[in-house]
Amino acid sequence: MGGGSAVVVGGGIGGLAAAIGLRRIGWEVTVVERAPVLADAGAGISLHANGMRALDVLGVGEGVRAAARPQYTGGTRVPGGGWLARMDGAALERELGTPIVGVPRAVLHRLLRAALPSGCLVVGTEVTSVDHSVPGRVRIPVGDAVLEADLVVAADGAGSRLRARLFPGHPGPAYSGSTVLRAVTGRPVGLATDFELTWGRGAEFGHIAFADGRAEWHAVLNSPPGVRYADPLAAMRRRFGDWHDPIPALLEATEPEAVLHHDIHEVATALPSFTAGRIALLGDAAHAMTPHLGQGACQALEDATVLAAALADEPTVASALARYDAERRPRSQSVARAARQAGRMGQQLTHPLAVAVRNTALRLAPARVTVRAMLRHAAWTPPGTGC
């Protein structure tokens, strides 16, 4: 199918990736982001092989690898420091051809934006509705203007207003039962591993090491929604200060103003479709999931490459969107279910007996079982690449 015009609503990872993919197949693209200033807020992110393969297709993979730190060492521990499972990053790289990498979200955002012409990004404008009553076109109010396009990509996050308009009977995002605090350290921290998770009862603390020696840490807690702390960093020091090294050192290397706090919402009720007319839902707008598999951004990157491939190969927008829905909805919803289950058996578990049984099972599991579990979601091949 020849090039067309598209409006991407949302300038996050999924929206930017979608815009890059569409431009690479000859489409004209406008990205509309509601934030008035692109502050590149966020902590860190792990990108598995499926996410890196998608970035390679989009032409951004090399730049991300250059800025990232491969994750070869680490695993899952208990608060006292004992190991439940070790991560064999080299084995994953042998199986998949690329390691998991850790990179600051701000760096990833900047690399994605750099792959787009500056004029295609409109900031400080929120899109709350679209008009697809005219066959073959979509009209999008943007400030005082109205844009017309062949396609709208709704990448406006877990709280997507466009999803609510397209599927008014859908209950929308649901609170997962967990809240997350995270930050990037203000200085380098001496770390013995590239990536760790530590599971306590109803709590998880993890870190991702960066190439410059700094690190991202996150604390996921069972909590009612809306709970906030007057001093979040002090609260984390009280909660995790007696956990094993390097957790106290990570907190000590953090500036109080760097701590972000968000409740975790997910699209727990699966959508019946990722498309409506000439509108495609993408990323968290389609399948917001809990972070327990580290697959949220990777699934959005998969969405972007599949959407571009479908539009390049199919004769019409309608057939391309039907293919996009058929390919992406089953996989991403399956990953979302698996992430929810991983949280229930990991960070969210509180009963002492259940925790003890889980920990024993993990300690006894052969290393190849852990590798297979990670391959289950990361071993994805972008359409048409054969890699």
Side-chain angles (χ1 to χ4, degrees), residues 249-271:
L250 288 164
L251 295 172
E252 182 61 31
T254 302
E255 298 297 331
E257 63 272 14
V259 181
L260 305 173
H261 189 177
H262 298 98
D263 290 340
I264 299 171
H265 289 81
E266 59 173 328
V267 178
T269 301
L271 285 166

Side-chain angles (χ1 to χ4, degrees), residues 1 305-316 319-321 323-324 327 383:
M1 162 182 179
T305 57
V306 170
L307 179 62
L311 288 164
D313 296 343
E314 294 293 328
T316 66
S319 60
L321 293 184
R323 172 175 150 184
Y324 168 74
E327 291 187 19

Side-chain angles (χ1 to χ4, degrees), residues 39-250:
D40 289 323
I45 187 170
S46 290
L47 293 168
H48 294 246
N50 54 321
M52 291 306 304
R53 286 175 171 173
L55 288 168
D56 286 335
V57 170
L58 298 172
V60 189
E62 183 177 348
V64 172
R65 285 187 181 86
R69 174 168 165 167
Q71 294 178 359
Y72 291 117
T73 60
T76 306
R77 306 173 76 174
V78 295
W83 289 95
L84 295 176
R86 299 269 190 169
M87 179 180 74
D88 189 345
L92 290 170
E93 184 177 20
R94 287 193 298 270
E95 290 284 346
L96 297 171
T98 183
I100 303 171
V101 301
V103 65
R105 279 183 178 267
V107 172
L108 178 58
H109 277 243
R110 287 198 293 269
L111 289 168
L112 292 170
R113 284 206 309 275
L116 295 168
S118 58
C120 81
L121 184 60
V122 177
V123 300
T125 302
E126 186 167 15
V127 175
T128 60
S129 65
V130 295
D131 177 3
H132 49 119
S133 61
V134 178
R137 300 292 286 172
V138 189
R139 292 166 58 86
I140 309 99
V142 177
D144 296 330
V146 176
L147 301 180
E148 289 198 7
D150 300 301
L151 171 71
V152 170
V153 179
D156 52 341
S160 171
R161 290 193 175 188
L162 293 186
R163 181 189 61 229
R165 291 270 187 155
L166 298 172
F167 298 96
H170 188 270
Y175 181 56
S176 67
S178 298
T179 193
V180 59
L181 294 93
R182 51 195 164 193
V184 174
T185 61
R187 61 179 185 270
V189 180
L191 297 171
T193 58
D194 303 317
F195 171 86
E196 286 184 15
L197 293 178
T198 300
W199 284 342
R201 290 171 56 187
E204 168 187 301
F205 195 100
H207 78 248
I208 299 170
F210 294 150
D212 64 3
R214 296 179 304 148
E216 180 261 12
W217 61 261
H218 71 264
V220 187
L221 307 167
N222 290 357
S223 171
V227 173
R228 293 296 181 266
Y229 305 102
D231 187 338
L233 183 58
M236 294 304 96
R237 287 172 174 163
R238 288 193 298 270
R239 180 67 176 81
F240 298 102
D242 61 348
W243 285 28
H244 65 80
D245 292 331
I247 292 172
L250 288 164

